[in-house]
Amino acid sequence: MDIQPHARMNAIGLMSGTSLDGVDAALVRTDGACVFAHGPSLTVPYPPGLRTRLRALLDEAPHLTAQSAQVLEIEREVTDIHAQAVRLIRAAAPDMVADVVGFHGQTILHAPGPAARPEGGRDGAHACESAREQSPATPCAARQDEPPMGQHGRTWQIGDAARLSASTGLPVVHDFRSADVQAGGQGAPLAPLYHAALLQGRPGPVAVLNIGGVANLTLLGATGHVWACDTGPGNALLDDWTQRHTGQPYDRDGALAARGTVHGPSLAALMAHPFFAAPPPKSLDRLSFHAGLEQIARLDAADGAATLAAFTAEAVARTPLPEQPGAWYVCGGGRHNPAIMAALAQRLAGPVRPVEDLGWKGDALEAECFGFLAVRSLRGLPLSLPATTGVPTPLRGGQLTCAGITPWGMREGGRIL
Ligand SMILES: Nc1ncnc2c1ncn2[C@@H]1O[C@H](COP(=O)(O)OP(=O)(O)O)[C@@H](O)[C@H]1O
Ligand SMILES: [Mg+2]
């Protein structure tokens, strides 16, 4: 495949986050450095039964292999929902012919191990470098299965890229995180370079906060440096709490939390998690804070929800930042929860606004990001930096499969060939 250095491509990004709510899909036109057009975006929800089985799979994942029947069965279903999302996007944008798919896959285990010692360094594509102290990090306390100090860990996204390529007839870039983890990075967050591309030309310091199942932030510094980190829980704990107490998958519009009161001692106990004492770079598994649900088990449903919404905000507020942002722009499903947004506004200095204030689509941003990263991967550009994942030097990533493209199809379809 011959990619012209500044070729603009139409990339369909697919993201299924740790909230396990479904597959987000979005189309962007990009050269992997800038975004020239935003196409349609949509979400294909997971059927409730699949969400339940995926949630159970997270508990089992440390003991399973990629060939386990349980994994293969769910992987096939998950992949086919992604293929459906691609079909719907293509139907919605008949004039924007897709060139490539960026397929994140569904994370079922994230245990990257201790962070490498970053040596700093520049990202040639963006001239970004860490503004932060380059100190060795202690491992964040994740799941019991986290590898011991000194070993690189593992991050596992299920999804059959060859099957997706076959059913869409498109080249598929996948496995975005493994190279980073193998190089000693945290494998997350990967959205910062996309946020930085969208923020080009805007004055910093400014923060983009993504509240998905877990939460992560990107800080664009006053001189254009990009810095990033997972901050703590996003929606996942609150989702699990709400499911347990009401049978609903999430606290819609923060209604449950709004009836409750934050329980200070419980919040303090939740904030005693060792993740918060560890310096960045650090990243989280969906289940990293799961034991916290037992810590607050005595609270009633509403007070527990209020306390968990406050926990998400408190974790952001306590994240040690190299610069204080003048404004916070929030994306991800958590920005739909008024209890979380109010808690953020209360705890953070500077205005807290949804990313729609920047003209961005807050529910599509992560999906767009993986379209953008697919093009970066094809062009051999870094996906992560010392200051975003703790990887020792700016690092490429992603794997390409063209399993669905026949030589004949390549000649017919292929603007990218
Ligand atoms: N109207 C809403 N009120 C409260 N929470 C919401 C609402 N809409 C979405 N959410 C939350 O957002 C989550 C999905 O967020 P998302 O950004 O897709 O996360 P992920 O990237 O982890 O999948 C849901 O599980 C739910 O917790
Ligand atoms: Mg989601």
Side-chain angles (χ1 to χ4, degrees), residues 381-396:
L381 297 172
L383 307 191
S384 52
L385 309 176
T388 61
T389 65
V391 76
T393 56
L395 192 77
R396 301 170 177 187

Side-chain angles (χ1 to χ4, degrees), residues 238-286:
L238 180 54
D239 286 357
D240 287 353
W241 177 266
T242 305
Q243 179 77 45
R244 185 186 290 187
H245 287 272
T246 71
Q248 298 302 310
Y250 63 93
D251 183 16
R252 179 179 283 273
D253 301 333
L256 184 61
R259 293 200 296 274
T261 306
V262 177
H263 188 251
S266 296
L267 179 56
L270 291 167
M271 287 302 301
H273 191 288
F275 175 81
F276 301 109
K282 52 187 177 177
S283 66
L284 291 161
D285 183 84
R286 186 192 190 279

Side-chain angles (χ1 to χ4, degrees), residues 15-24 43 46 51 106 212-213 235 332-333 363 366:
M15 179 62 189
S16 41
T18 49
S19 297
L20 308 174
D21 55 328
V23 176
D24 300 328
T43 299
Y46 284 146
R51 191 184 204 206
Q106 182 66 59
N235 306 297
D363 291 317
E366 290 242 300

